[in-house]
């Protein structure tokens, strides 16, 4: 959905992760953008017929990383050691950074530092060809879905921080429409993903509880 940001001089926080033109993943991205362009967010998150779920998740995860990269990039001047000495999303949620491999014991740090750790960690996962294979025929690892879930869970915290601590700046910069559309797209994507995952294990709910953001928020706010 990065196309919604147009050609304005977007300052990204980390370098944009690009999907090579001409690849199948690039075609999937274009498909998603075309559906989004028609204004149908619900349709845009659905797995296109005959496509591989892992590949769909990979393309969308890269796209969300790029979107958040741009959104956070626009407010970095407002998110400082002084303004945000701890990484939080409102008074109830304070996050301490640990990636589970290099940093096992959670570190209490400022929001800009935390988000730097987080985005660098996501970037490292996306660049890892064994996790996110970009070449046709190279299989996704068995734990791909669980890695993707962790990435999405962590990316959610950046949205949460921007909404809770920097929404005034977002309005001042007239970025709220971008932020809201991006976040809505993200929520819809995660909802449909939860549904697909439940389908694959044969326990998809009959009712449409997964349409309600409440469940999503409850799942993703937990560590
Ligand atoms: Zn901040």
């Amino acid at each position: 959905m990065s196309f919604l940001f147009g050609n304005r001089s977007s300052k990204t926080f980390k370098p944009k992760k690009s999907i090579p033109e001409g690849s199948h993943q690039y075609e999937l991205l274009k498909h998603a953008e075309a559906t989004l362009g028609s204004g149908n967010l619900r349709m845009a998150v659905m797995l296109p017929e005959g496509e591989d779920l892992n590949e769909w998740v990979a393309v969308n995860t890269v796209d969300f990383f790029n979107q958040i990269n741009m959104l956070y990039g626009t407010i970095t001047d407002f998110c400082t050691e002084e303004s945000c000495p701890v990484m939080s999303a409102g008074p109830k949620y304070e996050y301490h950074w640990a990636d589970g491999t290099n940093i096992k014991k959670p570190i209490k740090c400022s929001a800009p530092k935390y988000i730097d750790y987080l985005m660098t960690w996501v970037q490292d996962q996306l660049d890892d060809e064994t996790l996110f294979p970009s070449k046709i025929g190279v299989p996704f690892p068995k734990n791909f879905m669980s890695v993707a879930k962790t990435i999405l869970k962590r990316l959610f915290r950046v949205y949460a921080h921007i909404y809770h601590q920097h929404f005034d700046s977002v309005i001042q910069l007239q970025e709220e429409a971008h932020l809201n559309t991006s976040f809505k797209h993200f929520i819809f994507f995660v909802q449909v993903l939860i549904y697909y995952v439940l389908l694959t294990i044969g326990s998809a709910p009959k009712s449409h509880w997964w349409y309600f953001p409440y469940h999503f928020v409850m799942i993703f706010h937990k560590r």
Side-chain angles (χ1 to χ4, degrees), residues 79 84 111 161 166:
C79 187
C84 308
H161 181 72
H166 300 291

Side-chain angles (χ1 to χ4, degrees), residues 85-96:
V86 291
M87 173 64 176
S88 61
K92 274 166 87 183
Y93 296 100
E94 185 176 312
Y95 301 112
H96 298 172

Side-chain angles (χ1 to χ4, degrees), residues 72 78-80 83-84 111-112 161 165-166:
Y72 186 67
F78 305 97
C79 187
T80 62
S83 70
C84 308
H161 181 72
Q165 313 298 133
H166 300 291

Side-chain angles (χ1 to χ4, degrees), residues 190-200 204-210:
V190 173
Q191 285 174 343
V192 89
L193 180 58
I194 292 170
Y195 183 66
Y196 287 140
V197 170
L198 291 174
L199 268 186
T200 59
K206 298 272 185 295
S207 68
H208 284 184
W209 62 266
W210 46 277

Side-chain angles (χ1 to χ4, degrees), residues 71 163 167-183:
L71 289 164
Y163 270 111
F167 197 60
D168 288 350
S169 307
V170 171
I171 289 175
Q172 205 185 320
L173 294 164
Q174 299 185 320
E175 292 288 333
E176 72 269 29
H178 288 139
L179 175 64
N180 289 341
T181 309
S182 174
F183 185 57

